Amino acid sequence: MGLLLLVTTSFLLTVASSLRDVPRSSCSSKDKVDELHHLNSSGIHFTLHHPRSPCSPAPFPSLSFSAILSHDDARVRSLAARLRNTTLAPSRSSLILHPDAASIPLSSGTSVGVGNYVTRVGLGTPVKSYVMVVDTGSSLSWLQCSPCRVSCHSQVGAVFDPAASATYRSVSCSAPECHGLLSATLNPSSCSVANVCIYQASYGDTSFSVGYLGKDSLSLGSTRALADFVYGCGQDNEGLFGKSAGLIGLARNELSLLSQLGPRLGHSFSYCLPTMVSTGYLSIGSYNPAQFSYTPMVSSSLDDTLYFVRLTGVTVGGKNLPVRASAYTGTPTIIDSGTVITRLPPDVYTALSNAIVAALKRYKRAPAYSILDTCFRGTVKASAVPAVNMVFEGGATLKLAPRNVMINVDDATTTCLAFAPSGRVAIIGNRQQQTFNVVYDVAKSRIGFAAGGCS
């Protein structure tokens, strides 16, 4: 699933004297304030929480790191299948929302996205607050709705009741929003016997949501931001959604939250993905353009809803990796808030691995850990990790801190390079984006980076 970003949860670490986790045992009173978000002339501003932070309003259940990496790998395979326009094995052959309503075949799960950073949105009349994950790889937003005809997972707070909202309206099967579901979810819509549009959103880790398409008032604090916000009212929601109420999609599709708010606020959003001991942000609308260095969004016929970029180089200790320029261009590259571990083209990854091994030669090697094969025994000190930069077309550069390069596994008995190879699709994952300001300026077709967005 991709900010509150893939329902495959990440394992983001904070650097103290080493690369070991240092989570807080409790939140300050300031952190505990319900920072719903606000709307002003600069746009909408949400507070983002890491799901494993003690300040998160919807902490995710504990998963082993190997399970996290397994789900991450499933997401990458799903993205690769999506770009090949092929299908994966379906998670379930069919689902029935109601015996008299509709039987819905689930397709493969080739639509991706759901994530692990959480924020709050206000929905309905009267307004009620819901904890949601946010994903740049998903288009359709949805949340769990009563009566939960099949299944609702445990969530923070009450499940949304559309019957209790004076402004809720169902979307008919003939509405353009219903016809737009195929491009938004990569799954066909269906129709109930009451002529209500039925959506199905499936994800690379076999999680899914199925329900009715609706419209309601989206609110930010005391301000109504969008009177006719289109979203899914989930009746069967199963998988790794933690205790969130649902998902917000920010991909480039007309049903995404970005597109629905774009006419009023502008087609851009920015975020900073926090560590477990801090808070980050998501902003939709205007931003300070002088703050960022930019790389063009790359157009791709493979999928016009995802965000493609062009990686042109990687340096270690100030030296370019010894690979040909063509090693970067043969594989499509996506920036994705939902993938945890960055995937590089095989030749680029091998060169990066060799450079890290040479720089950390005083550390003993450890066996591979799941998809991570460049590992060392014990905890690698931050001061020993060489500077790694990722350079993009146009000169935009991610100057990675040690916590963006290495990751601890097995209770810090092993430290691994937080990259993996992939010949199918290259992905700039959220591990490498952590603590950077990242802006997606869809109107100007560019993505920008700036250091120091959140600690």
Side-chain angles (χ1 to χ4, degrees), residues 78 82 108-113 137-138 184-187 200-204 207:
S78 178
R82 176 173 171 175
S108 63
T110 52
S111 64
V112 295
S138 294
T185 66
L186 305 186
N187 292 314
Q200 46 183 312
S202 48
Y203 304 99
S207 299

Side-chain angles (χ1 to χ4, degrees), residues 369-395:
Y369 187 94
S370 183
I371 62 173
L372 307 178
D373 64 12
T374 305
C375 299
F376 305 86
R377 298 190 184 279
T379 298
V380 174
K381 291 185 177 179
S383 59
V385 179
V388 176
N389 293 343
M390 303 181 72
V391 183
F392 299 87
E393 181 182 19

Side-chain angles (χ1 to χ4, degrees), residues 111-294:
S111 64
V112 295
V114 211
N116 46 21
Y117 288 85
V118 297
T119 191
R120 290 183 179 270
V121 300
L123 193 66
T125 305
V127 179
K128 294 186 178 180
S129 171
Y130 300 92
V131 177
M132 307 280 280
V133 296
V134 186
D135 185 17
T136 58
S138 294
S139 295
L140 180 68
S141 301
W142 61 266
L143 83 167
Q144 300 193 120
C145 290
S146 63
C148 288
R149 296 188 183 278
V150 180
S151 176
C152 277
H153 58 265
S154 175
Q155 71 173 59
V156 171
V159 172
F160 177 72
D161 182 2
S165 173
T167 46
Y168 179 84
R169 290 176 292 138
S170 60
V171 173
S172 72
C173 301
S174 60
E177 294 89 351
C178 189
H179 295 307
L181 282 174
L182 181 59
S183 63
T185 66
L186 305 186
N187 292 314
S189 62
S190 187
C191 193
S192 77
V193 294
N195 193 36
V196 176
C197 182
I198 298 174
Y199 76 90
Q200 46 183 312
S202 48
Y203 304 99
D205 63 354
T206 73
S207 299
F208 61 85
S209 174
V210 179
Y212 304 111
L213 199 63
K215 293 182 179 182
D216 209 336
S217 174
L218 177 72
S219 298
L220 304 173
S222 60
T223 304
R224 176 178 294 184
L226 195 61
D228 292 316
F229 176 52
V230 179
Y231 64 97
C233 215
Q235 299 295 313
D236 190 2
N237 316 288
E238 302 182 38
L240 295 176
F241 301 107
K243 293 186 177 181
S244 67
L247 178 143
I248 292 174
L250 287 173
R252 290 194 289 179
N253 178 273
E254 61 184 7
L255 289 183
S256 76
L257 178 64
L258 174 66
S259 294
Q260 292 189 60
L261 288 172
R264 178 177 180 182
L265 299 175
H267 293 271
S268 67
F269 67 93
S270 58
Y271 60 69
C272 181
L273 308 182
T275 68
M276 288 194 295
V277 296
S278 62
T279 56
Y281 73 88
L282 164 68
S283 292
I284 300 176
S286 63
Y287 65 97
N288 178 8
Q291 181 181 0
F292 297 88
S293 61
Y294 298 94

Side-chain angles (χ1 to χ4, degrees), residues 236-363:
D236 190 2
N237 316 288
E238 302 182 38
L240 295 176
F241 301 107
K243 293 186 177 181
S244 67
L247 178 143
I248 292 174
L250 287 173
R252 290 194 289 179
N253 178 273
E254 61 184 7
L255 289 183
S256 76
L257 178 64
L258 174 66
S259 294
Q260 292 189 60
L261 288 172
R264 178 177 180 182
L265 299 175
H267 293 271
S268 67
F269 67 93
S270 58
Y271 60 69
C272 181
L273 308 182
T275 68
M276 288 194 295
V277 296
S278 62
T279 56
Y281 73 88
L282 164 68
S283 292
I284 300 176
S286 63
Y287 65 97
N288 178 8
Q291 181 181 0
F292 297 88
S293 61
Y294 298 94
T295 187
M297 289 182 188
V298 178
S299 299
S300 176
S301 60
L302 297 174
D303 191 315
D304 60 5
T305 68
L306 298 176
Y307 297 99
F308 289 86
V309 293
R310 185 169 286 120
L311 181 67
T312 59
V314 177
T315 67
V316 178
K319 297 181 179 180
N320 290 317
L321 294 180
V323 297
R324 295 171 297 178
S326 60
Y328 295 97
T329 58
T331 304
T333 302
I334 299 166
I335 181 168
D336 180 37
S337 62
T339 300
V340 181
I341 300 297
T342 285
R343 304 311 203 273
L344 295 174
D347 289 349
V348 178
Y349 173 77
T350 298
L352 174 62
S353 173
N354 291 339
I356 293 296
V357 169
L360 300 179
K361 59 185 177 182
R362 67 187 176 95
Y363 289 91

